[in-house]
Amino acid sequence: MNDLVQLHTCEPIDAGRIERELRTRVDTRWLHRWARLSVAVTGPWRPADIWPGGLERLVWSATFSYPDGGFFTEAGEHAAGEQNGLARRQAPIHPAEMVGPAFSAALVLWHSDAGRTTCASMWRQRHLRWSLRLDDGQRLARCDGERVVIEAPPRHLPEVDRVGVLIGGWTRLLGEFPAIEGRERLMFVDTLEALTAEAKTESLYAGGAWAGERVRAYARG
């Protein structure tokens, strides 16, 4: 499985809104010349429909896809990281993280099996309130929105493991989350990936232009 990059929020979202928010926050000079970006959006859905004991609250989810080589150049990632104070928390910079501040509350998740790294961050009222990154169980970077604490190896990790980091993010978004054990815990990442598996994948950026720009150019003939 490729890296899983997702945004979850309790307010309606669609591909068009995500693109518009990205266009206000991302300078195309930061991107690889071959950069592509697409998104699949689903919702509303209810956690109770997925996990027994989950809330009946409505949630919308978006899964972001881009080439394995990344979306931002090295210099572009540095520039993007300077926005909204993202660089200081020592967590990955990716498209989902760039639009987190656009929502009243948003959970952003990044999970990499290849890198054995997981990061979750919580945005409220356009500010980063919490983030946690765990690398192979050996290095932890925790941010409360202001201060960053690095532990290598982690001395205190109530989240236990990478799945626990993801569940911790969901708990912060919803206020509570059911206990996930056994096979449900083992398959948790696959369950998240499946949320948007049946949703239409829509291109946001390709060929050096945003989708909206391509549509306008086509209309002008």
Side-chain angles (χ1 to χ4, degrees):
M1 183 181 71
N2 294 328
D3 292 355
L4 180 67
V5 179
Q6 292 186 323
L7 179 143
H8 306 277
T9 182
C10 296
E11 59 187 275
I13 57 174
D14 56 29
R17 179 179 179 184
I18 291 173
E19 183 205 335
R20 290 191 297 273
E21 298 294 347
L22 279 170
R23 287 174 59 187
T24 66
R25 292 171 167 82
V26 174
D27 189 326
T28 55
R29 293 175 296 181
W30 300 347
L31 310 181
H32 288 292
R33 57 180 176 79
W34 39 261
R36 301 189 310 277
L37 177 65
S38 59
V39 67
V41 181
T42 190
W45 60 276
R46 294 174 174 83
D49 296 334
I50 309 294
W51 299 286
L55 294 177
E56 293 286 347
R57 192 170 182 178
L58 298 180
V59 178
W60 283 258
S61 299
T63 298
F64 294 72
S65 302
Y66 45 89
D68 291 340
F71 187 62
F72 296 106
T73 64
E74 184 176 348
E77 184 170 345
H78 176 77
E82 292 301 315
Q83 283 202 187
N84 304 308
L86 291 174
R88 71 176 185 275
R89 63 193 180 92
Q90 300 191 30
I93 308 299
H94 51 71
E97 197 73 81
M98 297 299 292
V99 297
F103 302 94
S104 58
L107 169 65
V108 177
L109 304 177
W110 178 69
H111 178 87
S112 172
D113 275 334
R116 297 188 59 77
T117 297
T118 293
C119 180
S121 59
M122 184 68 215
W123 294 84
R124 289 195 185 279
Q125 304 303 327
R126 300 184 179 275
H127 294 285
L128 177 69
R129 301 301 187 186
W130 169 87
S131 76
L132 183 62
R133 173 176 179 166
L134 182 63
D135 295 295
D136 202 17
Q138 299 302 309
R139 184 179 185 276
L140 176 146
R142 188 187 299 272
C143 178
D144 62 4
E146 296 293 336
R147 189 170 63 100
V148 179
V149 175
I150 306 294
E151 295 182 5
R155 296 186 297 274
H156 178 60
L157 184 60
E159 293 84 4
V160 180
D161 55 17
R162 292 190 298 148
V163 171
V165 171
L166 300 175
I167 293 173
W170 278 102
T171 302
R172 289 177 179 271
L173 175 66
L174 300 175
E176 63 178 83
F177 200 79
I180 303 295
E181 303 294 343
R183 180 173 172 77
E184 284 187 339
R185 188 180 182 92
L186 182 66
M187 301 298 294
F188 192 75
V189 175
D190 298 271
T191 302
L192 294 181
E193 185 179 30
L195 289 174
T196 59
E198 301 299 321
K200 178 183 177 182
T201 298
E202 301 186 53
S203 173
L204 301 186
Y205 185 88
W210 296 101
E213 295 172 344
R214 297 197 300 272
V215 169
R216 288 194 296 273
Y218 179 80
R220 291 195 299 268

